[in-house]
Each structure stands twice: as C-alpha cells, then as structure tokens.
Amino acid sequence: MRKDDKIKVGISHGDINGISYEIIIKALQDNRLNDSCTPILYGSPKVAAYHRKALDIENFSFNAIRKAEDANPKRANLINVLDDNVRVELGKSTKMAGECSVLALDRMVNDMTNGLIDAMVTAPICKENIQQAGFSFPGHTEYLQKQFNSEEVLMLMVFNELRVGVVTGHIPLKDAPGSLTKDLVYSKIKVLHESLLKDFALSKGKIAVLGLNPHAGDNGIIGTEDRDIIQPAIEKARQEGIMAVGPFPSDGFFGSGGYNQYDAVLAMYHDQGLIPFKVISQGEGVNYTAGLSVVRTSPGHGTAFDIVGKDLGNPASLRNAIYLASDISRNRRVYEEASANPLEKQSFDAGPGDVDISDLESDNAAE
C-alpha cells in the first residue's frame, strides 16, 4: 500500500466500443474527484478523442503520461497502452476491442503489483470478445483472484450503506443449489466479515444471510438446504464471534426493509442478491471484489452497446466506483497502521457498531 502521496486510482478502459469512455470522461469532468484521488486511465488518447468527438465534448482533456509515477495529482491522467492502428466501431463487439481490453487490464495490474497505484477500477468488458482475445477467465474477478493469489473472494455490490454479496456468482441457476456447501457458505461469511472490518471500518459488522428456498425452506418442508447447509454455516461463524444471522426468506427480508438493520447481506445466488440491489440502487451501485489483497471496484453495469455514442450513459456508477476505491484504500491504511500498533488496534476495535451477538435474531417464519 502506497503511503507517500495521494491515493492513485488506476482505471482500465474496458471495451473501446462500449460505454466506458463516455462514463469515464463524464465522471472525470467533475474536478471534485481530484480531491479524493489521482485518477489514471489505462487507455488510448486516440480512442478518447474519438468518443469525445462522437459526444461533442470539448471542455475536457487528459494529461498524457508515460508511467504512473508521472501522474499529475490535479488532473485526469492517461497512460497510452495501444498503438495507432486501433479501430473504434461504436456499439460493436470486435476481436480488436477484446484485445484492447486485455492490454489495458494487464498494464494496470502490473502497476498495481509493483505498487505504482493504490487501487483499481475496471470499466466494463465484453465477455464474448475478450475470450476471443485469449482471455481464459469468466470475468475480471476470476482473473484478479489468480493474479493476486487470493484463496477466496466475494462479489460485493455496494450502494451507500447497502452491501450485498453472493455465495455463488456467474454460474447457471440450476447449478447453484448443488454448489452450496457448509464450508462454502461459511467461507463467504468470513470474507464478508473481514471486509466489513478492514475495508469499511465496521469493527462489529452485522451480516444477514439469506435462505435458498421460499420461506427459507420452512424447516425442511420446502427444501432442506437452508436447514442442513446454511444454518450450520451461520452457527459456525457465530461461534467464532462473527455476527451473522439467518437464514432469512429473501422476499420478506427486502420487502420489509430488513436490510436497513444490517451492515451487509449475503445472498445464495446471483439474481437473489442483485435484483433487489439494482432496484434499490437505481443504476448507482458499485461492484467490489472483497477478499483480494488489492482494492478493485467496477461500475455495476455492462458495456451498454445499444446506447453508445448517444450521450445517454450515466456516469454515476463509475464515479461511485472511483470514490469507493479511494475510501477502501484509506480504510485499509488506517487498519494496517492500527494493527501495527496494539494501542491503536484496541481503539480501532472499539469503533461504531458494537453490539452483542446475542441481541441478533433471525425470523424465518413463512409469509
């Protein structure tokens, strides 16, 4: 973790034919971002100019630099990772675009590995064309997990105080129940707990765990996974002092606003968590990869090929991703410094949100 200057946030440009450049430029037009961090785009001045022209944006320019060390803390910086033969085709998925995505991502990860930047924001990629470019991972998360040798990671969606993680991610829905094990659910709870502590400065974070089946199984009447897998995983976490509660029936939990009573929610599968999250966040949510040794966020949406070049892109999610990356980097610095000093660590552990685990209860009743 860098400690010598303002936090440097790298941004990979994602798919050059998608919405990335529009939302990046719109987000970086707000100079208030420079108070929080020093943004560094890994991309192409040629591609940036193409998108600026398509959107008729004249009052913005990047500060071109060769390496992260040269970044101007008061400007939006750009490191060129492409050659001049790059071809932009707005709204189209092309092999060249996939190759450009990989080049930017690899350069940014290399700088992160060498301590030249403090956090990473990944703009949306097209999983189809990036696979054509030889990228052998389902997405950013799996790639970064391998690059930074992380044993367990968690996709965590963040919007203000709402944090929703998922036990099973990008797998077919039919495979989700069979993928659940006590150890897997427990490991995700543990990653989420540690992230609340180190990344969000919540020393006593409260975690709500959702059930898999309707009514959280009704005590085994509607499926046994909630009783035989999820509940034992929660109990194991509680025995270790983790404030995890559940399993909750997801419909009633979100419908009644129960999520407001917790610092984080753990869903069993992708859509169970992301549908209510996206309804609540209204396009402003952020995807954060908890469990990595480095900080990585991304906007909570895809390439949006259908609206590219039409000036319809909303930069809110990308902007929030940059702010969140900066905030988590600062929180990690504080935690690391407190951990290095026993007296400071004691003070850190006595932070807000303290609650006795016995005060937490789960209501698994049917609707």
Side-chain angles (χ1 to χ4, degrees), residues 161-163 196 202 204-209 243-245 248 252-265 280 353-356 359-363:
E161 302 306 312
L162 175 62
R163 306 172 187 92
L196 291 176
L202 294 169
K204 302 293 182 181
K206 297 176 290 183
I207 301 171
V209 182
M243 291 186 290
V245 188
F248 291 100
F253 180 81
F254 283 105
S256 66
Y259 59 89
N260 289 312
Q261 306 302 315
Y262 295 87
D263 298 302
V265 181
I280 295 168
D354 289 5
V355 63
D356 192 299
D359 294 335
L360 302 177
E361 295 183 359
S362 168
D363 182 5

Side-chain angles (χ1 to χ4, degrees), residues 11-328:
I11 307 168
S12 61
H13 66 181
D15 195 294
I16 61 173
N17 297 327
I19 203 69
S20 296
Y21 272 89
E22 177 176 342
I23 60 175
I24 289 170
I25 292 171
K26 286 180 175 179
L28 297 182
Q29 280 182 304
D30 187 345
N31 291 327
R32 289 176 297 181
L33 267 175
N34 295 326
D35 295 332
S36 176
C37 66
T38 300
I40 303 172
L41 175 64
Y42 292 80
S44 162
K46 179 179 178 180
V47 177
Y50 188 102
H51 282 268
R52 284 203 311 269
K53 183 177 181 180
L55 297 167
D56 195 25
I57 296 176
E58 298 180 354
N59 60 338
F60 178 84
S61 64
F62 284 100
N63 175 48
I65 58 175
R66 291 185 178 275
K67 55 186 185 298
E69 301 98 301
D70 298 333
N72 185 329
K74 298 181 180 180
R75 295 283 308 278
N77 302 276
L78 186 152
I79 296 176
N80 185 20
V81 300
L82 307 181
D83 59 37
D84 290 336
N85 295 322
V86 60
R87 182 181 180 185
V88 180
E89 299 181 69
L90 296 183
K92 294 183 179 181
S93 173
T94 66
K95 183 179 179 180
M96 177 176 285
E99 293 170 349
C100 293
S101 296
V102 174
L103 286 170
L105 181 60
D106 283 348
R107 176 66 184 275
M108 181 174 70
V109 167
N110 184 68
D111 280 0
M112 186 80 211
T113 301
N114 291 316
L116 302 180
I117 57 176
D118 302 302
M120 301 182 294
V121 176
T122 56
I125 57 174
C126 172
K127 293 182 179 179
E128 177 186 9
N129 65 38
I130 202 169
Q131 296 286 340
Q132 295 174 350
F135 187 83
S136 59
F137 300 90
H140 283 116
T141 301
E142 295 79 8
Y143 166 82
L144 295 171
Q145 183 178 9
K146 181 177 180 180
Q147 290 295 316
F148 294 99
N149 299 313
S150 299
E151 182 175 347
E152 189 68 78
V153 297
L154 174 73
M155 183 171 74
L156 185 63
M157 306 301 295
V158 181
F159 174 65
N160 295 334
E161 302 306 312
L162 175 62
R163 306 172 187 92
V164 179
V166 293
V167 174
T168 61
H170 296 112
I171 63 173
L173 179 59
K174 65 181 178 63
D175 296 336
S179 300
L180 293 179
T181 65
K182 173 186 171 182
D183 289 342
L184 177 62
V185 176
Y186 163 76
S187 67
K188 297 294 185 180
I189 294 174
K190 189 172 182 179
V191 170
L192 182 51
H193 166 74
E194 291 177 353
S195 182
L196 291 176
L197 174 64
K198 300 176 183 179
D199 301 331
F200 297 93
L202 294 169
S203 60
K204 302 293 182 181
K206 297 176 290 183
I207 301 171
V209 182
L210 302 183
L212 174 68
N213 298 296
H215 305 169
D218 262 349
N219 294 318
I221 297 175
I222 313 176
T224 60
E225 292 89 351
D226 306 272
R227 181 193 64 196
D228 298 341
I229 296 175
I230 302 172
Q231 185 64 50
I234 294 172
E235 291 173 357
K236 181 179 180 181
R238 288 169 68 96
Q239 289 171 1
E240 296 185 7
I242 298 174
M243 291 186 290
V245 188
F248 291 100
S250 60
D251 56 347
F253 180 81
F254 283 105
S256 66
Y259 59 89
N260 289 312
Q261 306 302 315
Y262 295 87
D263 298 302
V265 181
L266 185 64
M268 291 300 111
Y269 57 92
H270 184 278
D271 284 11
Q272 182 189 46
L274 268 67
I275 288 176
F277 176 85
K278 291 192 174 184
V279 170
I280 295 168
S281 62
Q282 291 293 299
E284 297 191 16
V286 176
N287 179 7
Y288 171 58
T289 307
L292 288 176
S293 59
V294 298
V295 177
R296 176 259 173 165
T297 66
S298 69
H301 59 75
T303 55
F305 283 140
D306 57 322
I307 62 170
V308 176
K310 300 178 181 179
D311 199 19
L312 299 176
N314 183 354
S317 184
L318 187 280
R319 180 174 58 245
N320 289 342
I322 297 173
Y323 276 124
L324 182 63
S326 302
D327 290 343
I328 291 176

